[in-house]
Amino acid sequence: MTGGAGLLAAEGLVAGYTATDEILKSVDLIVKDREIVSIIGPNGAGKSTLLRVIAGLLVPRHGSVRLNGVPIHGRQPREISALGVAFVPQEQNVFPTMTVRENLEMGGYVDSRGSRAKIDAIFTRFPQLADKRRHAARTLSGGQRQILSMAMALMVEPVVLLLDEPSAGLDPSAAALLFSLTKQLHRDLGLTVLLVEHYVRAVLEHCDLVHVLSRGEVVAVGTPDEVANHPDVRSEYLGPDFEIVLADPTEAEV
């Protein structure tokens, strides 16, 4: 395992969805306090599975997950959420028939104390949600739904935010705005963020550290510059002409 203590640490994770299935193969991961760390790699590499293990939705066969040194693997998702780990899945991450406000109330079900003040703060931070507070979530644009799903996660006042493919289905400018908002949350609230993402340019623009996962194993770890210039990563995932050029978030509409 890589040296150095982290706020969130996984060691030797082996996990799958059946007794014979081994999607993660001894995965190690360290996320330090207030870092933005991304996991990239091809489809089927085990990226989303890793987040599900951390969030408690899947129990690892071997290995451990620790938050501030305390083991959390094998605990119930609700307990892990109460400890400060909020998971935003790629799909089915809002309640489509409920209003925006009702979705936020559902996001705070783990600890409903102070929900009204938390919702008011979210509406102040995200005026695009405030304007739609009485609208059903299904009427929101794709970008607005993703912002709502993140806002629901903020209702538990997390220390670690797990994001699974937040830009999926969004056009580049809307994705750029979403990453800009994520960076702002990280800065303003001191959040630690671990995200799985296929939009590599945004990852390399906004993250502190990148893990490359392939066939259930971490094959490269480094800063965005290190990963972008890693010969194997560049040839297999990025291409020889790759440059970090992120769309202007001011041009996006959500």
Side-chain angles (χ1 to χ4, degrees), residues 207-219:
C207 290
D208 300 303
L209 199 68
V210 181
H211 287 65
V212 183
L213 200 63
S214 180
R215 300 180 181 89
E217 298 178 327
V218 177
V219 296

Side-chain angles (χ1 to χ4, degrees), residues 121-131 147 150-151 154 181 185:
I122 284 172
F123 283 152
T124 298
R125 178 173 293 277
F126 302 116
Q128 57 271 72
L129 296 183
D131 292 342
I147 293 172
M150 290 172 56
L154 295 180
L181 291 174
L185 290 174

Side-chain angles (χ1 to χ4, degrees), residues 9 158 195 219 238:
L195 72 151
V219 296
L238 305 180

Side-chain angles (χ1 to χ4, degrees), residues 152-236:
M152 291 169 64
L154 295 180
M155 288 292 294
V156 301
E157 298 183 324
V159 293
V160 178
L161 185 63
L162 309 177
L163 302 175
D164 190 4
E165 302 257 10
S167 72
L170 303 182
D171 64 59
S173 60
L177 176 59
L178 190 68
F179 284 113
S180 179
L181 291 174
T182 302
K183 189 86 171 182
Q184 185 176 348
L185 290 174
H186 161 261
R187 182 183 65 246
D188 294 349
L189 303 180
L191 281 178
T192 300
V193 181
L194 177 62
L195 72 151
V196 164
E197 185 51 54
H198 69 279
Y199 186 19
V200 178
R201 283 185 171 83
V203 165
L204 298 181
E205 178 77 14
H206 290 292
C207 290
D208 300 303
L209 199 68
V210 181
H211 287 65
V212 183
L213 200 63
S214 180
R215 300 180 181 89
E217 298 178 327
V218 177
V219 296
V221 181
T223 65
D225 283 342
E226 290 169 342
V227 168
N229 291 291
H230 190 291
D232 294 338
V233 174
R234 196 172 185 88
S235 64
E236 188 166 353

Side-chain angles (χ1 to χ4, degrees), residues 48-158:
S48 295
T49 300
L50 177 55
L51 291 192
R52 290 175 66 84
V53 170
I54 295 171
L57 298 171
L58 184 64
V59 178
R61 199 168 301 146
H62 301 290
S64 65
V65 180
R66 296 176 183 271
L67 180 68
N68 275 324
V70 178
I72 62 172
H73 54 282
R75 298 196 187 194
Q76 292 297 314
R78 178 169 181 164
E79 184 179 1
I80 293 174
S81 178
L83 290 172
V85 179
F87 175 50
V88 181
Q90 178 183 349
E91 298 176 337
Q92 299 179 339
N93 52 19
V94 299
F95 299 94
T97 61
M98 291 184 175
T99 67
V100 166
R101 185 180 184 90
E102 288 168 343
N103 268 271
L104 293 174
E105 291 170 350
M106 290 297 293
Y109 83 99
V110 171
D111 183 1
S112 60
R113 292 173 298 180
S115 285
R116 179 173 296 180
K118 293 176 186 177
I119 291 172
D120 289 344
I122 284 172
F123 283 152
T124 298
R125 178 173 293 277
F126 302 116
Q128 57 271 72
L129 296 183
D131 292 342
K132 303 280 187 177
R133 68 184 70 196
R134 296 184 180 85
H135 293 231
R138 67 170 181 267
T139 66
L140 303 180
S141 69
Q144 289 168 341
R145 284 196 298 272
Q146 287 300 95
I147 293 172
L148 175 58
S149 67
M150 290 172 56
M152 291 169 64
L154 295 180
M155 288 292 294
V156 301
E157 298 183 324

